[in-house]
Amino acid sequence: MKKKVFLVLVILMTLSLIGIIFVQGYYISNSVANKQDQFTFNVKKGLSSVSKEIGDEEYRDVVTKIRDLLRQGVAVNVDTTAFIDLYIKQDISNTDETLIYRNGILEENYKLSSAIFDIGLDSVSIKKIISKNETKVYKSSSLDGTETTLFKSGETNRTEDIDFEPLYLKYSSRRPIHKRINVEKIDRLIKLQLLQDDIDIDYEFAVYNNDLATKVKTENFNYENAFMSVPFFDNKNENNYRLLVEFPDRKEFIWSSIIGMIILSIIFTTIIIVAYSSALFQLIKQRQISEIKTDFINNMTHEFKTPIATINLALDSIKNPKIIDDKEKVQRYLHMIREENKRMHAQVENVLRISKLEKNELNISKDRVRLHDLIEDAISHVELIVEDRGGHIETSLKAATSTVLANETHFTNVLVNILDNAIKYSPEAPIIQVETINVGNNVLVNIKDHGSGMSKAVAKRVFEKFYREHTGNVHNVKGHGLGLAYVKRIVDDHHGHISVESEKDKGSTFTIKLPLIS
């Protein structure tokens, strides 16, 4: 896949994922807003129903009392809560006359301090009743216009057409609110109305008159936190009662109704993000592996091309009649063929070893060995090459104890690979320092060179299979990126740890840590 096509696909998939996340967020936000609106609507509907039911019930009670009086032949006209007019109408059968008996009662209340009366109360209520009697005689013909407000004893059929609203308004306008309704009744009605809409949370309420609190309220009501208010006893007079309610747990209730949907949305979105990230990571990794394999094939081709060319030249030289009889030159060319063949064989063996390690098919048996002996053996393998380039290897084997459980062959190869790496990446005469020290129950091996070094980005990936630092088309350093990958796998198999510290143009230090055995 071309790089531009791959980049476009990644951008499109990323934008699609971001779009899905935004759509989910928008949907959840709308769901919360809808739940809030629904909650507000249900509460308002419930409070309005409570207010209407209480008002209608009071109206029915007042009208029922008036009807009872009317059935007894008493007509009622209520001017105020303190003044009551009682009318009795009586027709005279022998004459064309009607008698109207009127009894006006004025009720006044007084409160006196208990200091006057030693009765143990804070105050004493005294009720004064002033009665006013009046009897009038009317001609029956002159009462046609007033019959709607006068009611004969025993005549109740016409009361169904009477408008009791004025009487009810006058009756209720001066009554204290706490005498008209109580907290328990309001609480019961609110609870029933809310349960009809599946709203089962704690609430507080109060009745206010012109923004002033009345005695009708719950203990913990807070006016500042009032959620909603509706008209209460909407009786079109100077009173302006409102029923206020607050819900301390309103937000939790609204979120709890959609928390399941939110959790599922988060889970599925997380799965999509993880799957997308994993797929993207795998795609990028596959591209990197593809590039690395391409570099590996190029490097392998270059590595094999030189020895093959050398072998061909040596064979052609041996065929030359002038050289075939020269045993010294023939031996020299045969030695070159053998060395180049060994070199190609070693490269193939590295590839096979890595493959077997990944499949856990490489049998590594371990014995008690002295790490210092392995170090000295490894140095002997590369010492001639170092000296040939005018360099040297310094050793400082200071570890008092160096006995480890290791495979002698493979761990010697590990040390040889690191030393060979130090030689290859030393542009000048290689100067290598090998040091061992004891740290706790471990032994550390430090192999330091003063070569070209590497950047931090390269140091992080130097133990990856097939990885080599890009140097363009310049193949001044031989290898195919398998040596250090093999080193890491063997060290890990020995329950050890390997790391590298490096700085560009200042060299590298490889550190191997292995557990000691007694």
Side-chain angles (χ1 to χ4, degrees), residues 233-424:
F233 286 128
D234 189 12
N235 47 20
K236 301 176 184 178
N237 52 38
E238 65 272 14
N239 294 324
N240 186 22
Y241 292 117
R242 300 192 67 82
L243 175 61
L244 287 78
V245 66
E246 65 161 312
F247 296 90
D249 302 325
R250 174 171 57 92
K251 292 182 179 179
E252 291 79 359
F253 174 77
I254 292 173
W255 281 97
S256 65
S257 62
I258 59 173
I259 191 66
M261 178 191 67
I262 293 175
I263 291 174
L264 289 176
S265 178
I266 291 174
I267 290 173
F268 292 140
T269 303
T270 303
I271 291 173
I272 292 173
I273 292 173
V274 171
Y276 169 75
S277 301
S278 177
L280 186 60
F281 174 77
Q282 293 297 328
L283 284 173
I284 294 173
K285 190 174 182 180
Q286 288 300 320
R287 279 184 58 84
Q288 291 175 344
I289 291 174
S290 178
E291 292 174 358
I292 290 172
K293 284 185 176 180
T294 301
D295 291 341
F296 168 72
I297 292 171
N298 291 336
N299 289 329
M300 286 291 290
T301 303
H302 181 79
E303 293 289 333
F304 284 133
K305 186 176 180 179
T306 301
I308 289 172
T310 303
I311 291 172
N312 286 334
L313 287 173
L315 289 173
D316 290 340
S317 299
I318 292 174
K319 290 179 181 179
N320 193 324
K322 295 180 180 180
I323 295 177
I324 197 169
D325 295 328
D326 190 342
K327 291 184 179 181
E328 184 178 347
K329 289 186 177 181
V330 170
Q331 289 296 325
R332 179 187 172 192
Y333 288 136
L334 288 175
H335 178 72
M336 289 174 61
I337 292 171
R338 186 182 299 109
E339 290 299 319
E340 294 300 324
N341 185 62
K342 285 173 63 178
R343 180 176 160 192
M344 288 191 294
H345 180 72
Q347 291 171 353
V348 173
E349 281 298 317
N350 274 337
V351 176
L352 293 175
R353 277 200 298 264
I354 289 293
S355 177
K356 288 182 178 180
L357 274 174
E358 288 185 342
K359 296 179 181 178
N360 295 320
E361 294 176 357
L362 191 63
N363 185 22
I364 301 178
S365 58
K366 303 180 184 69
D367 298 310
R368 290 171 59 94
V369 294
R370 290 185 71 251
L371 186 59
H372 288 171
D373 294 340
L374 299 183
I375 292 173
E376 290 173 357
D377 187 23
I379 290 174
S380 67
H381 281 75
V382 298
E383 196 169 19
L384 291 176
I385 301 174
V386 173
E387 291 177 355
D388 185 61
R389 291 187 54 189
H392 63 277
I393 299 176
E394 300 175 1
T395 58
S396 178
L397 308 180
K398 296 183 292 186
T401 306
S402 66
T403 305
V404 296
L405 191 65
N407 181 280
E408 184 175 348
T409 301
H410 285 290
F411 210 84
T412 301
N413 287 336
V414 165
L415 297 171
V416 169
N417 278 340
I418 296 175
L419 291 170
D420 184 58
N421 207 62
I423 296 168
K424 287 191 298 184

Side-chain angles (χ1 to χ4, degrees), residues 177-178 206-210 212-217 241-242:
I177 187 68
H178 60 276
V207 176
Y208 273 64
N209 181 19
N210 292 320
L212 296 176
T214 66
K215 294 182 179 181
V216 183
K217 64 176 181 178
Y241 292 117
R242 300 192 67 82

